[in-house]
């Protein structure tokens, strides 16, 4: 029996951690609904030092089932894509999406309680999109187009248009994703180079150059 293909093995296990995170969020919300617990106190309260620890907990709590449901599918889809296409970077990007976004929200967002995983989702989406743009790798750029097709409407979430929505989490998540895409652009998959790209360019003095053909025949 031949050994399983490494890419197939990666694909089979890539969804496990994102799905586990989504299941944990769903479990926390279900427990809070059953017990009547106030999960808002686990949200980020900007510039309140005693609430700084909420940078860790805020993505795991949600306001209602609709809020939770809107985040679960993108989290699993984008988290799985991150592990499939950028396995060496997946952990660092996931932690950066979580912590960088949370710290920026704590430092610069408007007062209030900021909860939910949408900031992490924006960071993952923008990392995946801009990684393809910066790398110019065919597979990465294909993923960029898929992300744009599936989640391009997320760009409207960067605007302060909907009351009660932490657009700051969306904005800072998007900025964190772009920053990490640029910082890690030389790590992970790279654009394939062809031999002709490394050949020296012809100079005007080269007698064989095409632009010297007229000069030679005259």
């Amino acid at each position: 029996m031949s050994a399983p293909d490494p890419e197939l093995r990666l694909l089979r296990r890539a969804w496990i951690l994102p799905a586990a995170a989504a299941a944990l969020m769903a479990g926390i919300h279900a427990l809070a609904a059953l017990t009547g617990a106030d999960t808002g106190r686990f949200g980020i309260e900007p510039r309140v030092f005693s609430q700084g620890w909420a940078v860790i907990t805020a993505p795991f709590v949600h306001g209602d089932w609709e809020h939770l449901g809107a985040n679960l599918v993108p989290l699993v889809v984008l988290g799985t894509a991150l592990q499939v296409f950028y396995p060496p970077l997946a952990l660092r990007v996931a932690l950066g999406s979580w912590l960088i976004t949370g710290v920026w929200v704590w430092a610069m967002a408007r007062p209030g309680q900021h909860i939910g995983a949408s900031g992490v989702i924006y960071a993952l989406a923008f990392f995946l999109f801009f990684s393809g743009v910066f790398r110019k790798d065919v597979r990465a750029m294909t993923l960029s187009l898929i992300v744009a097709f599936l989640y391009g409407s997320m760009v409207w979430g960067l605007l302060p248009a909907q009351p009660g929505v932490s657009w700051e989490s969306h904005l800072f998540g998007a900025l964190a994703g772009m920053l990490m895409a640029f910082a890690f652009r030389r790590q992970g998959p790279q654009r394939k180079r062809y031999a002709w790209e490394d050949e020296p360019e012809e100079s005007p003095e080269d007698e064989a150059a095409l632009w010297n053909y007229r000069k030679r025949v005259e």
Side-chain angles (χ1 to χ4, degrees):
M1 182 180 295
S2 60
D5 184 88
E7 291 191 1
L8 183 59
R9 290 204 311 269
L10 175 62
L11 185 60
R12 285 175 176 172
R13 66 172 185 265
W15 63 273
I16 295 175
L17 286 179
L24 178 59
M25 292 175 188
I28 290 173
H29 191 75
L31 181 62
L34 289 172
T35 61
D38 177 20
T39 57
R41 60 195 178 95
F42 295 100
I44 298 171
E45 294 189 44
R47 295 169 296 283
V48 177
F49 285 94
S50 61
Q51 199 72 7
W53 50 267
V55 166
I56 305 297
T57 59
F60 293 94
V61 294
H62 295 79
D64 52 37
W65 286 107
E66 184 181 359
H67 183 202
L68 175 67
N71 284 340
L72 292 188
V73 173
L75 180 67
V76 174
V77 170
L78 295 171
T80 300
L82 176 67
Q83 297 224 71
V84 169
F85 283 84
Y86 301 99
L89 301 174
L91 181 59
R92 281 178 285 174
V93 171
L95 289 175
S97 300
W98 180 7
L99 299 178
I100 295 173
T101 302
V103 168
W104 285 353
V105 169
W106 182 88
M108 293 180 278
R110 59 194 159 148
Q113 292 177 324
H114 297 257
I115 60 174
S118 56
V120 175
I121 291 168
Y122 269 78
L124 295 177
F126 275 69
F127 172 82
L128 293 172
F129 178 79
F130 280 97
S131 285
V133 173
F134 293 144
R135 294 166 191 271
K136 297 182 174 64
D137 171 67
V138 173
R139 289 210 321 164
M141 292 181 73
T142 301
L143 179 60
S144 296
L145 294 175
I146 293 172
V147 170
F149 176 75
L150 292 176
Y151 300 111
S153 61
M154 289 173 63
V155 70
W156 299 111
L158 303 176
L159 304 175
Q162 190 173 350
V165 173
S166 178
W167 61 271
E168 296 98 328
S169 295
H170 301 170
L171 176 62
F172 293 136
L175 292 174
M178 284 192 291
L179 177 66
M180 289 186 292
F182 182 78
F184 295 140
R185 69 192 185 281
R186 302 196 187 283
Q187 301 180 44
Q190 300 294 322
R191 181 175 70 89
K192 183 178 179 180
R193 291 188 63 84
Y194 297 91
W196 60 265
E197 294 184 84
D198 297 319
E199 294 177 359
E201 295 183 0
E202 295 174 327
S203 67
E205 291 77 21
D206 188 351
E207 289 297 323
L210 179 62
W211 48 77
N212 284 330
Y213 175 73
R214 182 182 298 275
K215 185 187 299 182
R216 294 199 306 275
V217 298
E218 291 176 353

